[in-house]
Amino acid sequence: MVAAASLLLVAFFFVLWHKGRGPAASLLLAAGAVSMGSITLLQIAEAEVPRATTATAYLGLQSYYLAFAVALLPLSRASQWWRIPLSLMLLPGVLITISLLRDVTGPHVISGIVNWCFIAVAWGIGMGVARERKLGRLTDRDLLLVVSVLIGVQAIVVCAQLLGWADVQTLEVGDDAVTRFRGLTSHSGQLGKVLFLFLVFVLPLTRSDDRTVRRASTWLVLLGGLLTGLTLSRTNVAAYVAAVGLWLIFSARVKLSQRLGLLILMVLAITPFVGDLLLRQEFDPEGGSRPILMAAAIDQLSRTLWLGVGPNNYIPTVGRTTALTAEGGLPVHSAAMLLLVEIGLICVLLLAIPLIRLIASIVRNLRAPEPAGSVAFAALVLLPGFVLMTGTGWGLAGRIMLPLVFIIFGYVAGMTQSSIPPARQNFAQQVSLGMKDGYLRS
């Protein structure tokens, strides 16, 4: 099923490219290749470890490697698409140096380093798409078409799972078994995270000057909420509802009746799943084995804080001292902690530099002209949910999800960095000005 969806995306890519919609084609191929599951095209070297975390457990050619390379072609005319942060480009080299010095060079580790190389490329693709959007080469309708296809394919697969035509996930909760739907992703939690990240594209479209785009994007927000509810992921549902709620409460240019109407529809979309979500919370208030796994991660961090255990090397290393990790293949359920343990504090600081600059850029551009202002505001309302996800689950750092996250980061960076910033003010003054200007005011 993943292979069929990938072939459809490739076909659609060439159709869009042929019609002169290169930036839309690039975004479709890049985001689709990671959000719908990667396919191993060629396995180069097998690893001795059975499982890994932030990349495949073996060294191989993944479908999204090629997708990223092809996605760059339509962006070749986009000036400055390649402005990837220097620290992000240096990160793979630092990881290689540390791995060689510590003689941690198994195929799974090399696979992890290769993934970090493509994470930098993902940022570049996101920036390139943003640049084309700001130049008017990627219109609201183009963006709506791409996101509609990506979410629509997931919705079709979920419908097939509802009808029993495709496999689903089941979870034992007390004496009951609840069904969780995952679309084309490998886990239901991943589907919810994909839909949440796509809000950075969809929410700004609800303020488009094109009435058709506004209506269609509103329905996409509701469809995303419904699909997220079907995953029965407590964190993802909370993050999605919080982001949409903050957008509706503080967004300008939207009538009160429209805000209330969309909020009521969102509540109705989530209501059927509240019972199962509460049941999960009742029988599993601490998130299962999360406390044990966190304790194991903290113990390992005390020994390898600065250099880490090596990219993609968490389970083989921590599994030596933690049976739950070794037998179940479970890493710490925190993306932030997982990355810190794997790549170490030195590399995390390199990673943090562009992210801190990105947050500052978002705040500076809350008053920027459209569409940069709406994208900055969408990123701001997604931030609480993103922090919640990185703190309570490891999915955002897992394999194909990490490149998707960096496509989003690059897109937001590209939409906000080139805008004319307001006069110099401190952080609090910037947020205050944004509120007065209506981006954060009813």
Side-chain angles (χ1 to χ4, degrees), residues 8-283:
L8 284 173
L9 284 178
V10 171
F12 201 14
F13 166 85
F14 283 108
V15 170
L16 288 176
W17 194 1
H18 179 69
K19 290 184 176 294
R21 298 180 177 179
S26 291
L27 181 60
L28 176 85
L29 193 61
V34 291
S35 65
M36 294 185 181
S38 179
I39 303 170
T40 301
L41 303 176
L42 177 66
Q43 187 166 322
I44 299 171
E46 242 181 86
E48 296 179 359
V49 299
R51 300 184 186 182
T53 46
T54 51
T56 56
Y58 49 83
L59 180 59
L61 177 62
Q62 303 300 313
S63 57
Y64 77 89
Y65 296 171
L66 291 182
F68 279 17
V70 176
L72 291 175
L73 296 178
L75 300 176
S76 57
R77 65 177 180 177
S79 60
Q80 301 179 339
W81 70 262
W82 42 266
R83 289 179 62 187
I84 304 169
L86 179 61
S87 62
L88 201 58
M89 291 192 290
L90 291 175
L91 186 56
V94 175
L95 289 172
I96 291 172
T97 302
I98 293 175
S99 298
L100 289 174
L101 290 175
R102 302 178 63 195
D103 195 25
V104 182
T105 56
H108 64 292
V109 173
I110 299 174
S111 174
I113 294 173
V114 170
N115 207 41
W116 278 106
C117 293
F118 279 92
I119 283 164
V121 175
W123 185 292
I125 291 173
M127 287 201 71
V129 170
R131 182 70 176 176
E132 293 289 88
R133 178 147 171 74
K134 295 183 75 173
L135 292 173
R137 295 173 186 152
L138 178 64
T139 65
D140 286 356
R141 292 203 173 199
D142 291 337
L143 186 58
L144 176 67
L145 175 64
V146 170
V147 182
S148 297
V149 169
L150 295 176
I151 296 177
V153 171
Q154 297 285 5
I156 291 171
V157 176
V158 168
C159 287
Q161 292 169 343
L162 279 165
L163 295 172
W165 298 346
D167 292 336
V168 296
Q169 288 181 302
T170 56
L171 181 68
E172 297 294 331
V173 181
D175 296 329
D176 300 316
V178 296
T179 302
R180 305 178 69 186
F181 298 89
R182 61 185 181 182
L184 281 170
T185 62
S186 60
H187 191 276
S188 54
Q190 277 194 349
L191 176 58
K193 290 175 175 61
V194 167
L195 296 167
F196 172 80
L197 292 173
F198 281 172
L199 283 175
V200 81
F201 301 122
V202 182
L203 287 178
L205 292 178
T206 62
R207 293 164 60 170
S208 170
D209 293 331
D210 188 326
R211 184 179 181 183
T212 301
V213 171
R214 288 199 305 271
R215 287 184 173 181
S217 57
T218 299
W219 286 109
L220 270 184
V221 172
L222 293 172
L223 176 60
L226 179 62
L227 295 176
T228 302
L230 286 167
T231 67
L232 292 184
S233 171
R234 292 166 290 183
T235 300
N236 293 344
V237 169
Y240 195 98
V241 172
V244 175
L246 289 171
W247 176 270
L248 291 175
I249 293 170
F250 296 113
S251 183
R253 300 186 227 157
V254 180
K255 294 180 181 178
L256 181 61
S257 58
Q258 293 175 319
R259 297 185 201 184
L260 291 176
L262 183 55
L263 194 58
I264 290 171
L265 288 173
M266 177 60 66
V267 171
L268 291 176
I270 299 295
T271 299
F273 317 108
V274 171
D276 286 336
L277 291 170
L278 291 176
L279 189 65
R280 285 198 65 194
Q281 184 64 26
E282 179 183 350
F283 283 91

